[in-house]
Amino acid sequence: MGASGAGKTTLLNVLTNRNLRLLRVEGEVLVNGQNFGESIARHSAYVQQDDLFVGTLTVREHLIFQAMLRMDKHLTYEERMKRVAEVILEMGLTKCADTVIGVAGRVKGISGGEAKRLAFAAEVLTKPALMFCDEPTSGLDSFMSQSIVSALRDMAEGGRTIVCTIHQPSSEVFELFDHLLLMAEGRVAFRGRSTKALDFFKRAGLQCPINYNPADFYIQNLAIVPGKEKESREKVSAIVEQFSREARTMDATLSTGYSIPPPLVNEASRYRASWISQFRAVLWRSWISLIRDPMLIKVRFIQSVVIALLLGLVFYNQTYNQEGIMNINGAIFIILMNNSFSNMFSVINAFTVEQHIFLREHWNGMYRTDIYFWCKTIAEAPVLVFMTSVLVCIVYWMIGLNTDPKAFFICLAIMILVANTAASFGYLVSCLSSTLSVALSLATPLIMPLVLFGGFYLNANSVPVYFIWLKYISMFYYGNEALSINQWADVKNITCSPHVCIPNGKAVLASLNFKEDNFLQDILLIIALMVFFRILAFIALLIKSSRKT
C-alpha cells in the first residue's frame, strides 16, 4: 500500500521482470532463494492495472483462448473447458459469459467492473503458485472488491503466494491481508504483519483514531499533500527512518511459512502450448475478431461496390479508338491504385491497434511472434481476395475491357496479387509504427513515390536515373505493365482518328514503353515484392517484441 506515486506498480514490475524498458534495475529477485529471472513469467500470473482485451470476442471466448495457451500441455480440451466454466462461476461472470467484451466507441460490451473481473479470471485459470495483482479492486464496488480479495485469500490459504498492491481498501477488505508493505516515495515505510502496523505508527508518534479505517490512516500519513510538501516529506522521512531502525526486529517477527514455490523447469521453450496449438488458437481468435468487426466487413464491402459502380459509370462501355486508349489505360491504373490503397489502409491498423495486447501476451509466454504475424496475415487474406474480387467483377465488364474470359481471370489474379502486395506494404508500415496515427501519417508519403513511378504518370523510360530504384520496388509499375499487356496484347484493330493513329494493341504497349515479353517477369516480381515487404514487416515486429516493455 501507499499513496499515488509511491512506487507500488514499479515494485511489482521489478518483481515480475516486466515493463522495465525505461528503468535501470540493480540487484536480483529471489523466490525462496532461487533466481528465476525471465522465467518468473512462466511460473506466475500478473493482473495488471490496465485491462487489455480483443473487444470483439465474448467473455467465454477470451477465457477459452487463454485456457488453450496458458494451461498445462497434458490437460485435455474437456478439462480446459471445465476450468473455464469454473472460473466464470467463481468470478461472477455467468450473466455476461456470452456477451462481447466491447470496443470503446464502436462496439458496446461488458461493464468496467465485469472487465476487471474478466482480467482477474484470465489469470486465475492456471491456478498459479505465485500471483501478482496490481490494484485488482479498482473500478469495482465494495461487495465485488471484498469477494475478489476473499477469493485471493482462499487461494493463499490453499498454498499459493499472492502479492497485491491496493489503493485505500475498505476496512473489511484490509482485514483480509496477512502481511503489509507500506511505501512512500519509493521507500519502505513499514513491512510486517498487518496487525502490527498500528503499533509501529504509535511508536512513531502517530495514533490512529478509534473506529477509523487503518488503511485510510496509513495513506494519509504517507501522502505528499499539495501545498504542504515540506511538512509531508519530513513526516514521511521520520516514519521511514523509524522503520529502518526497527527493521532487524521487524524481520525477526515475520513469518517464514511461505507457500512452496513453483519448481524450476529447465525447458528450452518458455511457451506452455506447442507451436501447432499456438497457431490454431491465435488463428481462431484472429478470424473471429476479423469477421465481427463491422467496420472491416460491412463498410469495406459497401466501399468496394460504390467505388466499382462509380468507376464503371465514369468509364462505361469504352470503344477501341484513339480516345478509348487513353480512357482504358487511365481506368486500369485508377482501379489498380484504388485497389492497392484500400487494401493497404484496411490492414494498416492490424498491428498498431493490438500492439499492447500482443506484447503483453507474448511476454506472458502465450505465443511466438512468428505465429501472431502469420495468423493475422492468413486470417485477413480471404477478406482481401473477396473485396478485390467484388471490385474487379463489377468494374471490368462495365468498362468493357478485354472480353476474353481468360483475360478477365488473369486481370483478377493480377489485382489480387497487387492487393496482397499493397497489404504487405501496409503490414510493414503498421509494424514500424508505434500508434495508428503514426502509421496513417507515414503510409501516404511512403507509398506515393511508388505510385508516381508506376508507368502512368511518368513514362517508364523517363524515370530519372537517381529514382530508378523506386520503379523496381513499385508494385504499381509491375501491375500496370502486366494488366496493360493482358488488355492490349491481342487487340488487332484500333480505330484511327484524323490526327493520330495507334493501330493496334502492340503499338499501345510500345507507346507506354511496356514489353510484352515482361509479362511473366512482372507476375514473379509482384510476388517477390509481396514476400519482401512481409519479411521486412515480420523483422520489424520481431525487433519490437524483443524489446522488454
Side-chain angles (χ1 to χ4, degrees):
M1 282 179 53
S4 296
K8 304 185 295 296
T9 299
T10 302
L11 174 61
L12 281 196
N13 288 337
V14 171
L15 293 177
T16 56
N17 198 39
R18 304 179 199 187
N19 308 320
L20 302 179
R21 188 158 57 96
L22 302 178
L23 298 177
R24 189 185 76 228
V25 181
E26 298 175 355
E28 58 183 351
V29 178
L30 304 178
V31 181
N32 281 19
Q34 301 178 66
N35 190 340
F36 274 34
E38 291 188 359
S39 68
I40 195 168
R42 180 179 175 81
H43 305 292
S44 65
Y46 188 9
V47 181
Q48 299 190 46
Q49 201 166 344
D50 52 328
D51 304 325
L52 297 177
F53 305 110
V54 175
T56 48
L57 267 62
T58 66
V59 168
R60 192 186 306 278
E61 287 167 346
H62 176 75
L63 292 176
I64 289 173
F65 177 76
Q66 298 285 323
M68 297 306 294
L69 294 180
R70 299 181 66 178
M71 297 183 74
D72 292 334
K73 292 180 181 179
H74 68 272
L75 294 175
T76 65
Y77 179 81
E78 289 73 21
E79 289 173 324
R80 295 171 195 266
M81 295 307 101
K82 182 181 178 182
R83 179 59 184 156
V84 167
E86 289 174 355
V87 169
I88 288 174
L89 188 62
E90 289 171 7
M91 293 294 107
L93 294 169
T94 306
K95 184 180 177 182
C96 62
D98 297 308
T99 304
V100 292
I101 298 168
V103 181
R106 287 173 56 192
V107 180
K108 186 178 180 181
I110 59 178
S111 68
E114 289 168 336
K116 175 61 68 176
R117 280 181 272 156
L118 177 58
F120 196 87
E123 298 299 333
V124 301
L125 265 174
T126 58
K127 300 180 180 178
L130 182 58
M131 190 165 183
F132 298 91
C133 306
D134 191 9
E135 299 195 16
T137 60
S138 63
L140 302 181
D141 56 44
S142 58
F143 171 77
M144 190 52 62
S145 297
Q146 187 168 355
S147 66
I148 281 185
V149 177
S150 296
L152 283 174
R153 184 178 176 86
D154 292 340
M155 291 173 64
E157 289 176 344
R160 292 178 175 81
T161 299
I162 314 291
V163 181
C164 287
T165 65
I166 197 155
H167 186 69
Q168 287 188 294
S170 65
S171 55
E172 292 84 357
V173 169
F174 180 75
E175 288 297 321
L176 296 172
F177 289 98
D178 301 303
H179 294 273
L180 179 65
L181 169 63
L182 292 175
M183 298 187 68
E185 297 197 294
R187 302 172 69 189
V188 179
F190 174 80
R191 181 171 68 89
R193 288 199 170 273
S194 54
T195 54
K196 304 290 185 181
L198 285 176
D199 292 336
F200 166 75
F201 271 79
K202 189 175 182 180
R203 291 194 298 273
L206 300 167
Q207 178 72 47
C208 179
I210 300 173
N211 297 328
Y212 199 85
N213 184 352
D216 292 337
F217 173 72
Y218 303 143
I219 296 297
Q220 288 173 5
N221 282 285
L222 295 174
I224 305 300
V225 181
K228 299 181 180 179
E229 287 84 356
K230 184 178 179 182
E231 298 90 330
S232 299
R233 286 194 170 89
E234 288 176 354
K235 181 196 290 187
V236 167
S237 180
I239 296 170
V240 169
E241 292 301 324
Q242 174 77 15
F243 172 76
S244 181
R245 288 192 297 269
E246 298 184 9
R248 293 181 182 275
T249 306
M250 294 295 289
D251 284 341
T253 64
L254 280 175
S255 167
T256 57
Y258 295 108
S259 62
I260 299 171
L264 279 172
V265 180
N266 295 319
E267 294 186 15
S269 174
R270 62 188 180 92
Y271 305 102
R272 288 185 181 271
S274 65
W275 195 95
I276 293 295
S277 297
Q278 292 177 41
F279 183 85
R280 190 165 51 230
V282 177
L283 183 61
W284 170 74
R285 185 180 72 170
S286 298
W287 178 247
I288 289 179
S289 175
L290 198 69
I291 61 176
R292 287 187 186 161
D293 191 332
M295 294 294 290
L296 184 72
I297 303 299
K298 295 178 183 177
V299 174
R300 282 194 61 201
F301 177 76
I302 294 171
Q303 180 189 48
S304 296
V305 172
V306 170
I307 290 176
L309 290 173
L310 179 62
L311 292 176
L313 290 171
V314 170
F315 294 98
Y316 183 71
N317 198 20
Q318 292 297 311
T319 56
Y320 284 76
N321 55 27
Q322 303 306 304
E323 292 80 10
I325 294 172
M326 178 178 176
N327 295 341
I328 289 172
N329 287 340
I332 288 173
F333 195 78
I334 288 174
I335 296 167
L336 180 71
M337 187 169 65
N338 178 269
N339 185 43
S340 300
F341 270 67
S342 63
N343 284 294
M344 182 191 74
F345 281 104
S346 70
V347 304
I348 209 162
N349 65 345
F351 298 102
T352 52
V353 171
E354 289 186 9
Q355 178 177 242
H356 297 296
I357 298 174
F358 158 65
L359 291 175
R360 178 178 292 185
E361 292 177 341
H362 172 67
W363 280 106
N364 281 344
M366 290 177 62
Y367 49 76
R368 298 159 53 96
T369 304
D370 57 334
I371 285 176
Y372 178 73
F373 181 84
W374 295 120
C375 286
K376 288 286 289 182
T377 56
I378 290 171
E380 287 168 347
V383 178
L384 295 177
V385 172
F386 176 72
M387 296 302 175
T388 301
S389 300
V390 169
L391 176 71
V392 174
C393 287
I394 295 173
V395 77
Y396 188 93
W397 301 109
M398 288 185 70
I399 293 174
L401 299 178
N402 194 327
T403 55
D404 185 351
K406 179 183 175 182
F408 166 73
F409 286 110
I410 290 174
C411 174
L412 179 60
I414 293 169
M415 284 290 189
I416 289 172
L417 284 176
V418 174
N420 277 277
T421 306
S424 300
F425 191 83
Y427 291 136
L428 174 59
V429 175
S430 184
C431 291
L432 287 172
S433 306
S434 56
T435 63
L436 180 58
S437 59
V438 172
L440 292 172
S441 300
L442 287 175
T444 302
L446 288 176
I447 203 170
M448 280 309 296
L450 305 184
V451 174
L452 292 175
F453 298 109
F456 179 76
Y457 296 108
L458 188 67
N459 192 282
N461 279 359
S462 301
V463 179
V465 65
Y466 43 85
F467 281 137
I468 197 74
W469 61 276
L470 282 170
K471 184 179 83 169
Y472 294 126
I473 63 168
S474 172
M475 74 287 273
F476 298 99
Y477 173 74
Y478 300 120
N480 189 25
E481 185 173 44
L483 288 169
S484 298
I485 293 168
N486 182 61
Q487 168 63 30
W488 295 111
D490 295 329
V491 176
K492 304 300 182 184
N493 295 301
I494 298 176
T495 305
C496 292
S497 68
H499 303 293
V500 63
C501 185
I502 299 177
N504 53 47
K506 294 186 184 298
V508 174
L509 294 176
S511 69
L512 296 170
N513 281 305
F514 288 158
K515 298 178 181 178
E516 198 173 335
D517 294 339
N518 288 350
F519 182 77
L520 182 59
Q521 175 182 291
D522 289 334
I523 300 298
L524 294 175
L525 286 171
I526 292 171
I527 295 172
L529 281 175
M530 178 175 65
V531 174
F532 175 67
F533 287 142
R534 294 210 182 193
I535 290 173
L536 288 182
F538 173 67
I539 291 171
L541 187 66
L542 195 63
I543 292 171
K544 188 178 290 185
S545 66
S546 66
R547 297 177 189 155
K548 209 74 176 285
T549 56

